[in-house]
Amino acid sequence: MASSSASSASSKRNVELQADHPCKCDMPSRVNISRTPDNPGKKFRVCQNSVSARTRKCNFWERMEEDEYAVEKNNDLGQIYNLTLKLGNLENEISICSKKLEEDKNYDLVSRQELDKVKWKLFTHKVALFVLFFLYVKDVVLKV
C-alpha cells in the first residue's frame, strides 16, 4: 500500500468531493490522482482539509480500487453521453425555433407588402373617385 507521501505528489487541481466516502473528520473526502512514479494515475481519497494549510486535517488517506473508479469512469461517460444528447436536442430545438421565427418574419414581411399594395390601390381608387367626382361636378355646373 502506498504511503501518505503519494498524496503530496498528487494533483491539487482535482476538487472532486465524495460525500458517500467521508474522512475521519466526517467531511466528504476529496479524490486525487497520484503523479508519483510508483503509482502514476492511481486515484485515492484524502481529507478535503488537506488542501488548506490553515485548517487541521485528519490524515485520512484511502486508495480507490481499479473497479471502483472504472465504474466512476463509466458513470462519467454515461453522463457525458446524456449531456451530449441533451445538448443535441437543445440545438435542434433552437434550430426549429429559429426557422419558425424566420418564417414568421418572412410572413410578416409578405403580409406588410400585400397590405401596402392594398393601401396603394385604395389610395389610387380614392384619387380616381375624387377626380371623377370633380369632373362630374364640373360638368354638372357647366351645364347649368
Side-chain angles (χ1 to χ4, degrees), residues 1-2 39 42-45 61-65 68:
M1 188 174 237
N39 296 304
K42 300 287 183 178
K43 287 190 173 188
F44 60 95
R45 294 182 186 95
W61 186 92
E62 179 180 78
R63 179 190 308 256
M64 290 179 69
E65 300 300 322
E68 196 175 357

Side-chain angles (χ1 to χ4, degrees), residues 21-77:
H21 293 282
C23 66
K24 294 176 186 174
C25 51
D26 207 30
M27 298 292 288
S29 61
R30 184 171 54 97
V31 176
N32 282 350
I33 300 173
S34 174
R35 305 282 184 234
T36 63
D38 295 338
N39 296 304
K42 300 287 183 178
K43 287 190 173 188
F44 60 95
R45 294 182 186 95
V46 294
C47 175
Q48 66 174 311
N49 291 332
S50 66
V51 176
S52 173
R54 291 177 276 162
T55 57
R56 280 186 65 194
K57 59 181 178 178
C58 64
N59 294 324
F60 171 78
W61 186 92
E62 179 180 78
R63 179 190 308 256
M64 290 179 69
E65 300 300 322
E66 293 286 333
D67 60 338
E68 196 175 357
Y69 58 84
V71 167
E72 183 180 19
K73 185 177 181 182
N74 287 338
N75 285 341
D76 288 346
L77 289 175

Side-chain angles (χ1 to χ4, degrees), residues 1-33:
M1 188 174 237
S3 68
S4 63
S5 65
S7 66
S8 63
S10 69
S11 168
K12 297 194 187 249
R13 293 175 289 179
N14 193 341
V15 291
E16 177 184 345
L17 297 178
Q18 293 189 333
D20 55 337
H21 293 282
C23 66
K24 294 176 186 174
C25 51
D26 207 30
M27 298 292 288
S29 61
R30 184 171 54 97
V31 176
N32 282 350
I33 300 173

